[in-house]
Amino acid sequence: MPKWFKRKSKRAVDLYQTSELSDGNEDESDEYLDEMLVGSMESDPCTSNTNELRLEFELRQIELNYYFFHNTFYIILIRIFVGTWNVAGRSPIGSLAVDLDEWLNLKDAADIYVLGFQEIVPLKTRTVIGAEDPTEATNWNRLIGKTLNDKHGCPWLTPMVTRFSSDNYNYVPASEADRRASFSGHTEIPIPWRERSRTVREMPKVGSKYKLMASKKMVGVFISVWMKDELLRKYCISNVKVCSVACGIMGYLGNKGSVSVSMAIDGTSFCFIAAHLASGEKKGDEGRRNHQVSEIFKRTVFPSSSRDDDNPHPLTILGHDRIFWFGDLNYRLYLEDNLARQLIKKQDWRALQEFDQLRREKEYDGVFQGWKEGDIEFAPTYKYSQANCNRYSGGLPGRSGEKQRTPAWCDRILWYGKGVKQLSYFRSESKFSDHRPVSALFSTQIEVVKPNTTRLGLQSIFSTILSSDQIGKSRDGDQAKSTLLSLMVRDIEASPRHAKFVEKITESECS
């Protein structure tokens, strides 16, 4: 009996394959069917009567149908570069292009560049309470675009003149016809629903022109997101939204806070948060930073708009599949200045991390519970004495006018969500400001839906598999088949064990 069920189920798989509903691996399908059907039939053969076997067979067919329905997804890997830099109120001038090239690590180009800046304007009264001036944001975008595209043989011909406001900035995706054509040159392997975390292919790392996807400025906090044109042509980029949260002076001015970007790449949603938190190394200052993190979580919202597509999109930070939080988070070291400098001189980063405020706050339920950060294997990024200097501020007696600051890892990159692997975490050595820029490169899974996917319905499965010669001959074979089909459908509809499968399939057939 188990061999009979397996043979008939194999016919169902062949029907799916000949209908081009799945191009999965045949051995995988056989192995999956063997586990589903034979395993269940052998579990208790002595007590199974004919009706129970038929019902179990029908239940497994629903699981199989659910399996093939989910095989319409496939997984790709893309590489995301995330960077943060406090530029101390300085404009992007002079030889900064060389520093930017080193920071972006363009020898190992990513598919998406997400850059967060702090203090792109001096934090003075006029800039904090005055009207937003997009000049510096435009200058930074122009320099970033030129650096990315010149490096890959795509000269930056058009200056960046678009003024970005609090409104959503949506890049117009490629037409559906173009996207369909882009699939013709690639072979994708469907992933069983139980194994969708397994990767099947990786985006080619061929150089390509980058386009600005989103940009947002709030006083000195600034975020800029760039994507390869290749991704825009192949995949559906949708629901690009921006949001800002001011939580500085009096809790509502923009000298501190965050700017965020929400977007979806086919079936996977992303959120990028660039933040600048409260400064200070006095006891209790970490509590102010924790409070601002909480405020950003609560007040960051990406509302619906008339330009959205029909797919639901996350409204809050934690509603996204992949989340990246980065910036000048300003967490310091619970350590005296001279002891910190001794450990820095020894390059004992592991020992120094034991006194890191952010690490302690995560451990003791302060902030970012469940979030991840790579191992820090570089020197503290703050505070350097001045521009063009490799010496930390303070530490030398008698130096007038210089602030005494214990060095610390103020500039950080964290992430949350499954399907993310950090490939590198490092600092760059630009002396442009009193902070060193920090970067991380990630490999991230994306779920992509094939266009125009069709699926065989339950009735088609049953009428094909349960032919009259399979259920026994009778003087009225059609009536017997119809009666058995009705019985099986009625039994499965009454089974709470597989209600979720029925619900999924019903929704799909009605759509």
Side-chain angles (χ1 to χ4, degrees):
M1 181 69 75
K3 292 181 180 178
W4 183 89
F5 276 117
K6 183 179 180 182
R7 184 173 66 254
K8 300 308 177 186
S9 300
K10 179 62 168 60
R11 281 190 58 189
V13 175
D14 293 337
L15 285 170
Y16 275 99
Q17 292 172 340
T18 55
S19 301
E20 297 183 352
L21 298 180
S22 170
D23 55 358
N25 184 283
E26 185 175 353
D27 294 334
E28 266 188 9
S29 300
D30 269 347
E31 188 176 343
Y32 183 66
L33 284 169
D34 185 65
E35 180 184 348
M36 286 201 312
L37 297 171
V38 178
S40 63
M41 293 299 102
E42 290 179 346
S43 61
D44 194 5
C46 297
T47 60
S48 297
N49 57 37
T50 304
N51 287 337
E52 289 173 342
L53 286 173
R54 287 171 177 167
L55 176 59
E56 183 70 15
F57 177 65
E58 197 271 348
L59 294 175
R60 296 307 181 186
Q61 287 300 330
I62 286 182
E63 283 197 54
L64 182 62
N65 200 35
Y66 185 74
Y67 159 78
F68 278 109
F69 174 74
H70 279 71
N71 263 344
T72 61
F73 289 85
Y74 64 90
I75 306 297
I76 66 168
L77 279 181
I78 65 171
R79 290 150 56 90
I80 300 180
F81 177 99
V82 178
T84 178
W85 195 1
N86 186 320
V87 295
R90 299 189 63 190
S91 297
I93 57 175
S95 61
L96 184 60
V98 177
D99 295 340
L100 202 62
D101 186 281
E102 189 261 339
W103 178 40
L104 299 182
N105 192 28
L106 294 174
K107 294 179 181 178
D108 192 16
D111 300 299
I112 301 175
Y113 282 85
V114 183
L115 307 179
F117 297 86
Q118 304 81 43
E119 298 188 42
I120 65 169
V121 296
L123 300 184
K124 299 178 180 179
T125 304
R126 178 175 56 85
T127 57
V128 172
I129 66 175
E132 286 285 356
D133 183 354
T135 302
E136 293 303 320
T138 300
N139 290 339
W140 277 105
N141 274 334
R142 181 182 290 114
L143 180 59
I144 295 166
K146 185 177 188 304
T147 303
L148 288 174
N149 289 291
D150 281 356
K151 188 71 176 181
H152 297 290
C154 304
W156 189 251
L157 300 177
T158 306
M160 181 65 59
V161 295
T162 305
R163 293 194 174 196
F164 295 95
S165 65
S166 58
D167 296 333
N168 299 336
Y169 173 67
N170 294 299
Y171 184 87
V172 179
S175 67
E176 188 65 23
D178 292 339
R179 290 190 61 232
R180 288 178 194 168
S182 70
F183 284 103
S184 61
H186 300 278
T187 301
E188 309 297 348
I189 303 175
I191 298 299
W193 68 274
R194 299 187 308 168
E195 303 176 11
R196 286 170 67 183
S197 62
R198 183 163 60 85
T199 302
V200 296
R201 70 182 282 269
E202 186 171 359
M203 284 296 301
K205 302 180 181 64
V206 180
S208 176
K209 185 166 62 176
Y210 291 85
K211 293 188 177 180
L212 181 63
M213 293 302 299
S215 180
K216 177 64 180 171
K217 172 185 177 294
M218 181 189 71
V219 187
V221 190
F222 174 59
I223 189 170
S224 185
V225 180
W226 298 75
M227 183 179 293
K228 273 186 178 180
D229 181 65
E230 183 179 2
L231 264 68
L232 290 169
R233 286 185 283 106
K234 288 185 177 180
Y235 306 109
C236 177
I237 315 300
S238 62
N239 297 331
V240 182
K241 302 173 182 292
V242 296
C243 178
S244 61
V245 174
C247 49
I249 301 171
M250 298 182 293
Y252 286 95
L253 291 186
N255 59 308
K256 294 294 188 290
S258 69
V259 288
S260 308
V261 171
S262 170
M263 62 188 299
I265 304 177
D266 264 273
T268 305
S269 59
F270 289 84
C271 188
F272 305 105
I273 305 103
H276 192 187
L277 304 182
S279 60
E281 57 184 25
K282 301 188 301 296
K283 183 177 181 179
D285 284 340
E286 68 274 16
R288 294 194 299 134
R289 292 186 269 274
N290 293 351
H291 175 72
Q292 290 178 349
V293 170
S294 177
E295 286 294 298
I296 291 170
F297 273 117
K298 289 191 296 185
R299 292 161 51 191
T300 300
V301 179
F302 304 100
S304 301
S305 72
S306 58
R307 289 179 286 180
D308 293 346
D309 59 20
D310 295 332
N311 297 322
H313 68 275
L315 300 179
T316 62
I317 291 175
L318 292 176
H320 293 76
D321 299 315
R322 319 275 190 264
I323 311 170
F324 299 87
W325 187 305
F326 48 99
D328 181 0
L329 307 188
N330 256 321
Y331 287 95
R332 307 304 173 91
L333 295 174
Y334 290 118
L335 193 62
E336 293 183 2
D337 181 72
N338 61 330
L339 296 177
R341 292 174 189 264
Q342 289 177 22
L343 291 175
I344 292 171
K345 188 174 181 180
K346 295 178 182 178
Q347 297 187 5
D348 192 347
W349 313 133
R350 186 175 297 275
L352 200 61
Q353 284 183 67
E354 296 296 323
F355 303 95
D356 176 57
Q357 273 188 359
L358 180 54
R359 180 173 176 173
R360 292 274 187 94
E361 293 302 307
K362 287 175 61 181
E363 289 177 355
Y364 295 103
D365 299 334
V367 289
F368 294 115
Q369 290 301 296
W371 288 64
K372 297 179 182 179
E373 182 183 17
D375 291 334
I376 303 177
E377 297 179 352
F378 49 83
T381 56
Y382 175 84
K383 170 179 173 53
Y384 283 88
S385 179
Q386 57 186 2
N388 299 317
C389 181
N390 267 331
R391 182 179 57 81
Y392 289 109
S393 179
L396 296 177
R399 189 175 289 272
S400 61
E402 186 172 87
K403 293 182 179 180
Q404 183 70 31
R405 293 287 184 270
T406 301
W409 287 296
C410 291
D411 309 279
R412 312 290 279 269
I413 300 173
L414 300 91
W415 78 93
Y416 186 87
K418 297 179 180 179
V420 178
K421 179 182 179 181
Q422 188 178 70
L423 304 177
S424 62
Y425 192 25
F426 59 94
R427 63 170 247 176
S428 299
E429 300 306 321
S430 170
K431 303 181 182 69
F432 185 72
S433 78
D434 56 354
H435 289 250
R436 295 296 182 261
V438 173
S439 314
L441 184 63
F442 297 93
S443 175
T444 306
Q445 293 182 8
I446 304 292
E447 292 183 350
V448 179
V449 184
K450 284 189 177 180
N452 282 342
T453 300
T454 58
R455 187 181 57 82
L456 201 61
L458 275 178
Q459 298 293 332
S460 300
I461 295 175
F462 296 152
S463 61
T464 302
I465 297 175
L466 301 174
S467 58
S468 59
D469 62 327
Q470 295 170 6
I471 63 174
K473 295 183 180 294
S474 75
R475 284 174 296 179
D476 192 352
D478 292 338
Q479 181 180 357
K481 179 172 66 173
S482 176
T483 302
L484 178 58
L485 178 59
S486 299
L487 173 64
M488 296 174 74
V489 172
R490 185 173 68 250
D491 286 343
I492 184 56
E493 287 177 349
S495 172
R497 177 185 166 195
H498 286 271
K500 61 180 180 179
F501 291 112
V502 176
E503 181 181 356
K504 286 280 186 181
I505 293 169
T506 303
E507 289 177 356
S508 175
E509 293 200 352
C510 292
S511 63

